[in-house]
Amino acid sequence: MAFTFLSIPHFLSPQPHFLSLKPQFAALRPSLSPRQLKPLHAIGPDGKYYPDPSDDDPPEAPEDSGHGVSKFQQIQRQASRHQKLQEADFKKHQNTMLSAIADVEDPPEGPGAEPSSGDDLFGDIDQAIALKRQEFVKQGLLKPNPKAEAAEELEAEEVVDLEEIDALQGLRIVSEDSEEQGGAKLDSNVSDLDEQVSVSSSLFDMDFDNYGKTRARIVEPKFKMSLAEVLDESKVVPISVYGDLEVEITGIQHDSRVVSAGDLFVCCVGRKTDGHLYLSEAIKRGAVAVVASKEIYMEESLGCKALVIVEDTNVDLPALAASFYRHPSENMSVIGITGTNGKTTSAYLIKGMYEAMGLRTGMLSTVAYYVHGDNKLESPDTTPDAVMVQNMMAKMLHNGAEAVVMEASSHALALSRCDEVDIDIAIFTNLTRDHLDFHATEEEYKEAKGKLFSRMVDPERHRKVVNIDDPNAPFFISQGSPDVPVVTFAMENKNADVYPLKFELSLFETQVLVNTPNGILEISSGLLGRHNIYNILAAVAVGIAVGAPLEDIVRGIEEVDAVPGRCELIDEEQAFGVIVDYAHTPDALSRLLDSVRELGARRIITVIGCPGESDRGKRPMMAKIATDKSDVTILTSDNPKNEDPCIFDILNLTLASSSVDILDDMLSGIGWTMQEYLKHGEHDYYPPLPNGHRIFLHDIRRVAVRCAVAMGEEGDMVVVAGKGHEAYQIEGDKKEFFDDREECREALQYVDELHQAGIDTNQYGPVLMVMIHENFVVGVTEDQLEDFPTKDEKNFQLFHSPKSV
C-alpha cells in the first residue's frame, strides 16, 4: 500500500512565539502599579468632565458557575459518586479481587511495627494491600491468616551452633598461622565481595524466553446445585431415590480418594475395581449424596443425606458432570482430534493458530492441559475422565477461553468420556494398529475412533477434517451427516483441498509450500521430519475450514517451535544429533526413522522398548522395523509394570528364570530367541543381522540410553523412542521419575567427561557396561578403570565386552 505525506497548511502551523516568553525579556518589562492600571475618566476637548453613564450602574454580581452549589459541596458529591462506582466495580469483580490478595501477609502489629518512611514505593504498596486485606477480614470477606507461633528463645548452646554454621557458610577457610583478626577481616571482605557479585549477577539473570509474556491468574470457579437440579438438568431417570433431594452439591467425583465435603459420589464400575466397594470411604471424606447402580445399605450416622439408584452409573456419569458444570463446551468452539499418531502435535499447532486469530484457546492433550495461553497444568492422561473433562472446560470458560482443542483417544470415546462435549470440528489424522490390549480387534478400534465423526450432523456449524492419504478416510467421512462440509488434506493425493507443492527437510527446520483453496502458504517450522508435515497440513486444513485469515494460519503454525517429547532435539553441543520421540506404535516408529533417514544421518542408532501388560502383538513388529531402518538397535524396557522385560544374570549371561517376556517377544521379530542372543555373548561376539545391521539389548533403560549416546559419532543420529514427554518409569507397582530427555543430557555430559579423560567410547561395542550403581558407562577395560571419573571404584562390576562390532 502506498502512502502520501501531505504538507501541513500554514494556518495549522505552530506559532512558537505565542507559546513562550523567554525569562530575560520578561525581566525587562516595566512593572505597573495598580493606580496606573485604573481606567481614565472621560475629559472633553473643552477641558470639562463628562461622567460615563456606566459609572452610575450598580456593581454586577459574580457569575454563579456552581449553580447554587459551593465548591466544597461539588467535591463532596464527586467523591460520593466515585465511591459508589468503586463499590459497584468491587461487587462485580469481588471474587477476582479477593482471590488476588487471599495469600497476602497481614500488616505488622504492635509496638515493634514501624510506619513506612515513604522512600520504599513498593513497600508502601505492599503495606497498602495488607491493610486492604485486613479491612476485608474485618468485613468477613476473607479468613484471617493463622497467627505465627512465637519464636522460642535460643539456648546458649544453640546460639553457638548458629555462629558456627554462619562461620562455615561460603566455605571460608582460616589458616591456623594467620592472625585471627586479620583472617576474620579477610573473610569478611571476600564474603562481601562474593555477595556483591552474586547480587549483581542476579540482576542480569533473566529468562529471555518468557520476557514480555504475562501469565494470568487462574481463578477456580465454584459451583453449587441441589441434587434434584442435577438430576433434572442431566435428564437422568432414577430407579429409586432415598433421602433429601434438596441437599446442596458442591462437587462431583467418582474416585473416593479425591472426594471432599459436599461432593456427590458416583459409584462407577471399572475394569479392575468397583466404586461401590469404596462407598464408606467416600462418605467418610464428606460425600453428602451417592449415585449407585446397586442396592446398598448405608449407616445413617455416616452423614450421607441422599441415595439415588440408576441403571448404569458409567453411562450416567458424563451427563451428571456436564449438568453440574453447566455444559461449558456449549459456550466455546471445540476442536476434537482423533487418530493413532499426530494428535498432540496437531493440537499444539491448532492452538497456536487460534491464538494468532486473537482467540483465547485452551487445550487438553497427552502432554499438558492449558487453560489458555501459557497457563499450563500437567496432565496425566490422553483424555481425562468425564468429570475432569467438564471441570477443565468449566475452568477454561470461567477464565475467558473462547475455544478448546482436545485429543479424543479411543479409550475416551469407547468409555463415553466425551459424550457430553459439544464438538464443532472433528479431525482424523491416521489409523494404524494400537491399543489392542483394550480393543478386541482393529475393527473395534476403528469404530471407537469413528464415534467422534458420528456427531458431525449440523452443516451450519460442524466440519470434518480428514487425511485422505489414509485408507480409512472414506469410513470417517461417511460418519455423521453427509451434508456436513469436509476439508481434506494429504501429502500424496493431490485431489486434497490442502497439500504441499514442495517441501525441504533439514536438522534445523522444515520448509513447506502449501496449496489451499484460498491461496498458497509458505511455512517455515521448527518441527522436524516428514511426519510433521502431515501435522502442519492438518492445522492448515482446520484454518481453511473455519475461514481463518491466511496470515494468521502461517503465523500461528510458525509460533510452535517444538512439542515436548515429539521429535525433540537434545542439544549439548555434541557432534551428532539426539532425538527423543513418543513413537510407540509400529507405524509411528517407521515414520520417525524414515524422517530421520531423510535428514541425511550417517548412521541411525535407535533405542526402543515395549510396555508391559499391553499389546504383545506389536512387540516383534517394533523390533523388526527398528532393525530394518536403523544401523544399530538397542532393545530395552519401557514401563514393564508387573511383566519382566528380561530376567537373566548380567554377569554370567545365564537365564535367571524361564520368563524372558518383553525382550524375548521383541527378538522374535528378527527370528532370534533370548537363549540364542546369550549364546552369542558367551563368545564375546554378536554377529550382524542379514542386512548388516546390529542389535543389542539391555533391560535397564538408562544403560541402553547411555550406550547409544556413547556410540554416537559425527554425522550420526541417536533416536530414543517410546516415552517422549513421559517423565516416569513403572516397574512393578512403583512409579519412579525417569525422563528420556534428561537421561540423554546426562549421558552426553558423562560421555564428554570420558572423552576428556582420554577414553574413546566409540571403539567399543554398545553393550559393554560398567555399573556404578546409578552410573553406567560403555566399554571400559580394567586398565582404563583408573582413569575413569568415579566416586567409588569399589562399586564397579565389569560386564563382558564384545571384541568385535
Side-chain angles (χ1 to χ4, degrees):
M1 180 182 293
F3 295 91
T4 304
F5 294 93
L6 303 177
S7 60
I8 301 175
H10 292 293
F11 60 83
L12 292 179
S13 61
Q15 303 294 333
H17 55 279
F18 291 149
L19 301 178
S20 63
L21 181 65
K22 294 184 179 180
Q24 60 267 33
F25 297 135
L28 296 177
R29 295 180 63 184
S31 60
L32 301 177
S33 64
R35 185 177 297 276
Q36 291 173 308
L37 295 174
K38 186 177 180 180
L40 298 176
H41 293 287
I43 304 296
D46 55 357
K48 294 182 180 181
Y49 169 70
Y50 295 93
D52 189 349
S54 64
D55 291 344
D56 297 330
D57 294 340
E60 295 182 2
E63 183 180 356
D64 184 11
S65 60
H67 304 287
V69 181
S70 67
K71 193 70 174 177
F72 176 77
Q73 289 174 322
Q74 292 179 26
I75 295 173
Q76 193 175 26
R77 289 183 179 182
Q78 290 176 358
S80 177
R81 190 181 303 111
H82 183 68
Q83 186 176 5
K84 288 181 180 178
L85 291 173
Q86 275 190 326
E87 290 174 356
D89 184 68
F90 172 72
K91 289 180 180 179
K92 183 178 179 181
H93 303 94
Q94 181 174 348
N95 291 336
T96 304
M97 292 182 178
L98 293 178
S99 61
I101 63 173
D103 301 329
V104 174
E105 296 181 358
D106 290 331
E109 298 178 355
E114 298 181 0
S116 175
S117 63
D119 296 334
D120 184 7
L121 174 61
F122 294 104
D124 293 343
I125 294 173
D126 292 339
Q127 187 176 12
I129 294 173
L131 291 173
K132 194 66 179 177
R133 186 191 190 284
Q134 194 176 45
E135 180 184 335
F136 288 151
V137 170
K138 291 179 180 178
Q139 295 175 6
L141 298 175
L142 288 174
K143 295 181 180 180
N145 286 326
K147 294 184 179 180
E149 298 180 0
E152 298 180 0
E153 293 186 5
L154 297 177
E155 297 180 0
E157 296 179 356
E158 294 174 328
V159 172
V160 173
D161 291 340
L162 285 176
E163 290 176 353
E164 292 179 355
I165 292 172
D166 183 60
L168 291 172
Q169 286 181 347
L171 299 178
R172 293 175 292 179
I173 301 176
V174 181
S175 173
E176 295 180 358
D177 299 333
S178 62
E179 296 181 1
E180 294 183 0
Q181 294 181 351
K185 183 176 180 180
L186 178 61
D187 285 340
S188 176
N189 292 338
V190 172
S191 178
D192 292 342
L193 180 60
D194 289 343
E195 189 173 336
Q196 291 175 8
V197 171
S198 176
V199 171
S200 62
S201 63
S202 66
L203 295 176
F204 296 96
D205 187 15
M206 297 180 65
D207 185 3
F208 288 100
D209 292 336
N210 295 318
Y211 181 75
K213 296 182 180 179
T214 57
R215 198 172 277 189
R217 183 185 181 93
I218 301 303
V219 180
E220 292 284 344
K222 296 187 182 299
F223 296 89
K224 290 182 181 180
M225 189 180 292
S226 70
L227 179 58
E229 291 174 328
V230 174
L231 294 174
D232 184 56
E233 290 286 336
S234 62
K235 296 180 174 56
V236 171
V237 180
I239 296 175
S240 56
V241 177
Y242 306 94
D244 181 15
L245 285 180
E246 296 303 320
V247 61
E248 186 178 71
I249 305 298
T250 57
I252 181 170
Q253 296 293 346
H254 66 98
D255 186 344
S256 61
R257 295 168 295 182
V258 295
V259 168
S260 58
D263 282 354
L264 168 66
F265 179 63
V266 183
C267 304
C268 292
V269 180
R271 299 179 67 193
K272 296 182 178 179
T273 187
D274 187 344
H276 295 83
L277 301 175
Y278 305 97
L279 179 61
S280 297
E281 180 185 350
I283 295 175
K284 288 177 182 178
R285 290 179 180 271
V288 295
V290 173
V291 176
S293 57
K294 301 175 183 179
E295 292 290 344
I296 52 179
Y297 170 75
M298 293 189 302
E299 299 178 16
E300 294 182 0
S301 59
L302 288 178
C304 182
K305 299 179 180 180
L307 170 64
V308 178
I309 305 297
V310 297
E311 186 175 347
D312 190 340
T313 50
N314 290 17
V315 172
D316 292 336
L317 178 64
L320 292 169
S323 62
F324 178 76
Y325 290 109
R326 296 179 175 87
H327 300 277
S329 62
E330 293 180 356
N331 298 301
M332 295 185 290
S333 176
V334 183
I335 303 97
I337 310 172
T338 195
T340 305
N341 303 307
K343 296 188 296 295
T344 300
T345 302
S346 298
Y348 270 85
L349 292 169
I350 294 168
K351 178 179 182 292
M353 181 182 65
Y354 267 68
E355 289 179 342
M357 291 190 287
L359 299 174
R360 283 189 167 191
T361 307
M363 187 175 77
L364 299 174
S365 78
T366 307
V367 175
Y369 302 153
Y370 283 88
V371 176
H372 61 72
D374 295 327
N375 299 285
K376 174 183 174 183
L377 301 172
E378 293 301 323
S379 64
D381 302 308
T382 302
T383 304
D385 59 62
V387 175
M388 182 61 74
V389 167
Q390 300 297 334
N391 177 275
M392 288 298 300
M393 288 192 171
K395 185 183 297 185
M396 294 174 187
L397 181 64
H398 185 73
N399 287 275
E402 300 161 277
V404 57
V405 186
M406 67 177 296
E407 295 183 36
S409 69
S410 60
H411 290 71
L413 293 167
L415 297 173
S416 303
R417 294 175 183 173
C418 303
D419 279 4
E420 295 297 322
V421 178
D422 189 6
I423 295 176
D424 300 285
I425 302 173
I427 305 167
F428 168 66
T429 58
N430 51 67
L431 191 73
T432 58
R433 179 191 178 111
D434 198 13
H435 299 307
L436 293 190
D437 55 317
F438 180 82
H439 305 283
T441 63
E442 292 188 37
E443 187 65 25
E444 185 180 316
Y445 175 55
K446 182 173 72 172
E447 291 288 342
K449 294 282 189 184
K451 285 185 176 182
L452 182 69
F453 280 75
S454 66
R455 297 160 62 185
M456 300 293 103
V457 294
D458 185 357
E460 294 297 323
R461 67 182 185 92
H462 287 160
R463 297 291 183 271
K464 301 175 187 177
V465 177
V466 179
N467 170 18
I468 60 173
D469 275 347
D470 192 282
N472 297 285
F475 167 79
F476 288 90
I477 293 175
S478 67
Q479 300 300 300
S481 171
D483 298 327
V484 172
V486 180
V487 178
T488 59
F489 67 94
M491 283 191 68
E492 308 298 335
N493 192 334
K494 302 306 179 185
N495 294 322
D497 298 310
V498 176
Y499 63 89
L501 295 173
K502 67 175 183 178
F503 59 88
E504 292 182 6
L505 303 174
S506 73
L507 191 56
F508 305 101
E509 66 177 355
T510 298
Q511 293 183 335
V512 56
L513 200 64
V514 182
N515 183 73
T516 76
N518 300 341
I520 297 175
L521 307 181
E522 186 176 350
I523 298 173
S524 178
S525 172
L527 304 178
L528 307 181
R530 174 187 287 266
H531 61 290
N532 271 320
I533 296 180
Y534 274 105
N535 301 324
I536 292 171
L537 296 175
V540 172
V542 172
I544 297 300
V546 300
L550 298 183
E551 57 269 22
D552 289 342
I553 295 175
V554 174
R555 186 169 72 253
I557 290 174
E558 291 185 343
E559 280 291 321
V560 181
D561 291 328
V563 177
R566 301 304 190 273
C567 209
E568 184 173 353
L569 271 175
I570 307 300
D571 184 13
E572 294 291 329
E573 300 182 356
Q574 71 274 10
F576 52 92
V578 177
I579 286 177
V580 173
D581 193 85
Y582 187 57
H584 63 288
T585 66
D587 180 70
L589 182 63
S590 179
R591 289 171 182 264
L592 172 66
L593 296 178
D594 286 342
S595 296
V596 172
R597 185 67 69 183
E598 281 189 283
L599 297 177
R602 187 181 71 92
R603 287 191 309 167
I604 298 178
I605 304 168
T606 300
V607 177
I608 185 66
C610 289
E613 301 179 5
S614 64
D615 183 8
R616 294 186 63 176
K618 72 178 183 181
R619 293 174 184 174
M621 299 168 64
M622 297 285 283
K624 182 70 167 64
I625 291 170
T627 53
D628 283 348
K629 300 190 175 186
S630 306
D631 299 275
V632 179
T633 301
I634 304 178
L635 305 183
T636 186
S637 61
D638 181 354
N639 294 335
K641 300 178 183 176
N642 291 308
E643 193 173 356
D644 297 323
C646 177
I647 303 179
F648 62 92
D649 188 332
I650 196 170
L651 294 178
N652 298 320
L653 294 175
T654 59
L655 291 175
S657 75
S658 59
S659 173
V660 288
D661 294 346
I662 300 175
L663 292 180
D664 200 20
D665 287 343
M666 296 184 75
L667 282 173
S668 66
I670 59 170
W672 283 15
T673 64
M674 182 60 67
Q675 287 84 352
E676 291 174 340
Y677 177 82
L678 296 178
K679 187 175 180 179
H680 291 305
E682 293 176 1
H683 304 287
D684 292 344
Y685 175 74
Y686 296 90
L689 298 174
N691 59 6
H693 297 169
R694 297 284 181 167
I695 184 171
F696 303 93
L697 64 86
H698 201 286
D699 59 335
I700 301 177
R701 191 175 182 89
R702 178 176 288 112
V703 180
V705 170
R706 295 199 175 189
C707 288
V709 169
M711 290 186 66
E713 298 178 350
E714 186 173 356
D716 291 347
M717 185 69 75
V718 175
V719 178
V720 182
K723 297 183 73 66
H725 67 284
E726 289 182 353
Y728 57 84
Q729 178 84 327
I730 303 176
E731 296 182 4
D733 296 328
K734 294 182 180 179
K735 184 177 182 179
E736 298 180 346
F737 176 81
F738 189 97
D739 190 328
D740 278 348
R741 296 165 293 182
E742 292 302 317
E743 292 298 327
C744 288
R745 292 187 181 98
E746 291 181 8
L748 286 166
Q749 296 170 6
Y750 204 62
V751 170
D752 184 58
E753 292 177 3
L754 291 180
H755 292 169
Q756 291 179 11
I759 301 173
D760 184 6
T761 59
N762 297 324
Q763 64 180 315
Y764 297 97
V767 284
L768 300 180
M769 294 153 191
V770 177
M771 297 193 303
I772 318 169
H773 287 300
E774 295 182 356
N775 296 322
F776 300 89
V777 190
V778 175
V780 183
T781 63
E782 292 182 0
D783 294 336
Q784 292 171 319
L785 291 181
E786 297 179 359
D787 298 329
F788 181 74
T790 180
K791 298 178 181 178
D792 188 358
E793 292 186 2
K794 295 180 181 179
N795 292 324
F796 278 106
Q797 298 182 39
L798 190 61
F799 184 56
H800 288 289
S801 168
K803 297 177 181 177
S804 176
V805 180

